[in-house]
Amino acid sequence: MDISPLAPSHFPDLPDIEGVSLHIAHAGYRDWERADLTYVKFDRDVAVAGVLTQSKCASPEIEWCRAALKSGAARALVVNAGNANAFTGNRGRAAVEAIARQTAAHIECNEHQIFISSTGVIGVPLPMDVAQKGLETVFSTENCSWEDAARAISTTDTYPKGATTSAIVDGKKVQLTGIIKGSGMIAPDMATMLGYIFTDAAISPALLQYMLSAANRASFSCITVDSDTSTSDTVLAFATGTAGNSQLETMDSAGADAFAAALHDLCKQLAHQVVRDGEGATKFIEIRVSGAVSDESAHIIGKSIADSPLVKTAIAGEDANWGRVVMAVGKAGETADRDLLSIAFGGTEVARKGMVVEGYDEAPVAKHLQGQNIEISVDLGMGDGRATIWTCDLTHGYISINADYRS
């Protein structure tokens, strides 16, 4: 598989997080010769928070994580790649319970301190014998790198995705590191495919959950590749508390603002990498909506534009067809006035107050659309609501990948 033309030049140098060890193994969930089982072990109980798919057909892993998050504590993470184990009934639930039981017995902890994710083909039960043998293998493997783990959780991704940032909290430097997988079926309600964030900050589970939910609203919930929400979308954050800072309990705690900003930055970095690896993508598109009656309305309108196959194919063809943007605004069902609407591509206004800008210069617009990073700005002229959505173009590559996915 060719690497996305929007991929970064290299995998970033991600620092270790004290108290976290990474392990991978080849379980064989699909007919491939690559690691597809990831095991993350924590030296002690760590704080955990998460945002999960709102799909009504969620996988057993989602149901398990949703229940496990109530304790606020984690000891391990297990990720299976190649099989989503979704829409698999009691067999799927039994497989998740068996993985939790086996892992908890290995490290001698409560089963609900084990967090589990699976990604891949929907409708095929996770083979318990494969999972159990894979776990036996991965428990005895040496530590691996962040890049190895990022590759192991992938499916149709063309490159491994990771990011890092830091903050000064209570006079201590705290590190945040994350890996994520995602390339298609990206239009989350609360998360995006599979993403895992690790930090050495000392923070309460409740505050970590509050901050992660807030960061998610401005990052993972603002991206779309194809308008489809996965059965397995998961983002989990784990905090080991080994940085030595006084534990963050509320937003008034010393350094809480700095940590929240760093977490937001990390989530945004990871979310952008998912869009840049959108299946068949050749262009990264930022859609800025302003002048809406509310931020929520602006978000809905931005998603309507970003999800439109007509807008996405126009960008793929480097065609500044602003009429398709008008269409997408109109179909969103939000408050809008045709005669107040203005549209710009790459900073060049092409339509103003419901009409084409007379005599606008097409040359800078054409040049902008030939690039890889595209900006579309929409001003509704009705209020102060604003939102930013990120997406990619739609090419024949998307069809090829998904038409052949199971075969």
Side-chain angles (χ1 to χ4, degrees):
M1 183 183 298
D2 293 335
I3 297 175
S4 168
L6 306 176
S9 60
H10 63 279
F11 189 83
D13 182 16
L14 305 185
D16 293 335
I17 300 295
E18 185 179 349
V20 179
S21 60
L22 310 171
H23 310 265
I24 60 173
H26 173 238
Y29 289 117
R30 291 185 68 178
D31 184 19
W32 53 22
E33 292 300 322
R34 47 152 284 193
D36 53 6
L37 173 60
T38 304
Y39 167 56
V40 182
K41 180 184 176 183
F42 305 108
D43 291 348
R44 60 180 183 178
D45 290 2
V46 303
V48 61
V51 286
L52 307 167
T53 185
Q54 292 299 289
S55 170
K56 301 305 181 185
C57 296
S59 70
E61 285 82 350
I62 294 294
E63 295 171 343
W64 179 271
C65 286
R66 190 167 282 136
L69 281 168
K70 294 177 182 178
S71 73
R75 283 296 307 278
L77 167 69
V78 176
V79 185
N80 308 302
N83 184 317
N85 194 38
F87 209 68
T88 51
N90 290 330
R91 290 176 64 186
R93 281 186 284 273
V96 173
E97 292 167 359
I99 289 171
R101 186 164 54 248
Q102 184 176 352
T103 307
H106 175 70
I107 57 178
E108 299 180 345
C109 70
N110 186 292
E111 292 178 12
H112 281 92
Q113 291 180 300
I114 310 300
F115 287 77
I116 305 167
S117 298
S118 298
T119 179
V121 176
I122 294 171
V124 180
L126 193 76
M128 292 177 62
D129 57 338
V130 173
Q132 289 170 338
K133 289 179 181 178
L135 287 172
E136 291 174 4
T137 300
V138 81
F139 289 155
S140 60
T141 60
E142 297 294 323
N143 289 7
C144 72
S145 68
W146 290 110
E147 183 173 2
D148 289 337
R151 290 186 185 279
I153 67 174
S154 299
T155 50
T156 61
D157 304 57
T158 70
Y159 64 91
K161 304 171 181 65
T164 188
T165 188
S166 63
I168 301 299
V169 176
D170 188 34
K172 305 288 185 180
K173 182 179 180 179
V174 302
Q175 202 72 46
L176 299 89
T177 290
I179 58 174
I180 199 165
K181 66 84 53 180
S183 188
M185 205 178 288
I186 304 294
D189 290 319
M190 287 190 68
T192 179
M193 297 306 292
L194 304 184
Y196 307 104
I197 296 166
F198 306 88
T199 178
D200 54 9
I203 182 171
S204 71
L207 184 58
L208 184 61
Q209 182 63 61
Y210 174 83
M211 289 185 179
L212 180 63
S213 295
N216 166 74
R217 286 193 294 271
S219 57
F220 303 121
S221 285
C222 292
I223 65 173
T224 178
V225 167
D226 48 21
S227 81
D228 288 332
T229 298
S230 171
T231 59
S232 309
D233 292 339
T234 299
V235 172
L236 296 172
F238 304 93
T240 66
T242 54
N245 65 288
S246 298
Q247 178 158 297
L248 299 173
E249 295 286 355
T250 71
M251 287 302 298
D252 292 327
S253 299
D257 287 346
F259 182 81
L263 180 60
H264 177 276
D265 176 56
L266 183 70
C267 290
K268 186 176 176 181
Q269 289 186 58
L270 294 171
H272 283 195
Q273 288 194 46
V274 171
V275 174
R276 290 184 177 279
D277 201 18
E279 290 170 342
T282 65
K283 298 181 186 293
F284 178 85
I285 307 169
E286 180 173 276
I287 299 167
R288 301 173 185 170
V289 178
S290 61
V293 294
S294 68
D295 290 348
E296 181 182 6
S297 181
H299 180 91
I300 293 170
I301 290 169
K303 280 283 271 90
S304 179
I305 299 167
D307 284 336
S308 167
L310 289 177
V311 172
K312 292 158 74 72
T313 50
I315 299 301
E318 302 177 353
D319 176 15
N321 191 336
W322 55 270
R324 294 182 177 183
V325 177
V326 174
M327 173 278 300
V329 172
K331 76 170 185 176
E334 292 298 303
T335 302
D337 186 329
R338 174 198 62 207
D339 296 330
L340 297 177
L341 184 63
S342 299
I343 299 168
F345 287 88
T348 300
E349 195 173 44
V350 297
R352 182 188 305 128
K353 293 187 176 181
M355 295 183 65
V356 64
V357 174
E358 187 175 351
Y360 85 88
D361 186 359
E362 292 189 14
V365 176
K367 183 177 180 180
H368 178 70
L369 292 179
Q370 290 169 4
Q372 291 185 334
N373 297 303
I374 310 301
E375 296 177 4
I376 302 175
S377 299
V378 174
D379 187 347
L380 283 90
M382 304 196 70
D384 297 324
R386 60 182 59 246
T388 302
I389 303 294
W390 298 281
T391 189
C392 58
D393 56 343
L394 180 60
T395 70
H396 194 277
Y398 181 88
I399 299 172
S400 299
I401 291 168
N402 285 285
D404 300 333
Y405 184 58
R406 288 204 309 160
S407 55

